[in-house]
Amino acid sequence: MELNRLLLFTTFLLHIKPSRMSPMGLICDQRLIQKYVLEAVALEDKVSHCGELPLLQQPVHLPLVGFNPRDWMAKTNQAKGLEVLRDLAKLVDGTAAAQRGLQPGCAFALLQQLYEKASTFLLQLRNFEWQEQDSTRQPEEDSQLIPERNLRTIFQTYKQLVRGKLRLLFHDLWKDSCGGDHG
């Protein structure tokens, strides 16, 4: 399975436009985040068409991605970015663990898509400037995790993360880095 992921990732890298692979290309094209939000919603919808989903034998640990808007706005972009990185890393880990517990089929294929999308965000955000500025400091707090056996919750968590923290982070970075105003 690892070889398949490597081949898929290599194929992805060969077909992606260089401007969209750079963090600034991702941040400065606001249409992209809206596209990713719509894809997250579509993934969650597609999983409902898979029929009865089995519960995972072993629970996976997913980040709690809800947040208080007032607390979020008080954070620096660097703190927001590190928080999103932690949440994405935990979601990627949880998705990979869920895949190991499934047989190939509808849900497995959709989990693979989610894994690829979340891994791409993780890769891009790890290349962003706050990593260099703060590479020696340990995160102030770890993401809170919840054990989950329901596959639908993995898709809901991803959608909530993309619609919430990730979209707001990209908006804030856009304002600061791409000449955006408050409109």
Side-chain angles (χ1 to χ4, degrees):
M1 177 168 334
E2 290 302 317
L3 182 59
N4 287 343
R5 286 185 182 161
L6 180 60
L7 289 172
L8 212 56
F9 185 67
T10 302
T11 303
F12 166 77
L13 289 177
L14 291 173
H15 288 91
I16 193 165
K17 293 180 181 176
S19 65
R20 290 190 179 197
M21 187 61 180
S22 74
M24 292 311 294
L26 180 66
I27 301 302
C28 291
D29 187 349
Q30 290 190 304
R31 297 170 300 177
L32 283 177
I33 189 60
Q34 185 58 30
K35 175 184 176 258
Y36 297 134
V37 167
L38 293 174
E39 287 176 353
V41 170
L43 266 177
E44 184 185 27
D45 184 52
K46 286 179 185 177
V47 81
S48 67
H49 299 318
C50 286
E52 189 66 31
L53 297 176
L55 288 179
L56 296 169
Q57 293 294 322
Q58 296 293 320
V60 297
H61 292 90
L62 299 176
L64 292 174
V65 295
F67 63 97
N68 178 315
R70 182 176 292 162
D71 292 343
W72 180 260
M73 297 307 284
K75 295 179 182 185
T76 65
N77 284 350
Q78 181 179 7
K80 292 173 188 176
L82 291 172
E83 185 173 328
V84 170
L85 274 172
R86 284 190 304 268
D87 288 348
L88 274 170
K90 297 298 182 185
L91 182 63
V92 166
D93 291 346
T95 303
Q99 282 182 296
R100 286 190 294 271
L102 284 181
Q103 298 296 319
C106 180
F108 183 89
L110 293 173
L111 272 175
Q112 181 64 32
Q113 288 179 34
L114 189 152
Y115 177 86
E116 291 165 8
K117 290 175 186 302
S119 294
T120 300
F121 279 131
L122 191 60
L123 176 67
Q124 290 173 332
L125 290 176
R126 281 185 174 154
N127 289 324
F128 218 78
E129 60 194 41
W130 55 67
Q131 286 297 100
E132 296 166 7
Q133 296 170 356
D134 207 27
S135 61
T136 59
R137 189 179 72 124
Q138 291 297 317
E140 292 175 12
E141 58 189 56
D142 283 332
S143 299
Q144 292 182 326
L145 300 176
I146 183 166
E148 186 59 58
R149 293 179 60 208
N150 186 334
L151 287 171
R152 291 185 203 286
T153 305
I154 298 171
F155 292 91
Q156 292 166 349
T157 300
Y158 177 69
K159 180 184 77 174
Q160 186 179 2
L161 179 61
V162 173
R163 284 176 114 174
K165 290 179 183 180
L166 193 62
R167 184 180 58 80
L168 290 174
L169 172 65
F170 282 11
H171 179 73
D172 290 343
L173 292 172
W174 175 78
K175 288 189 309 188
D176 292 348
S177 303
C178 306
D181 58 17
H182 296 282

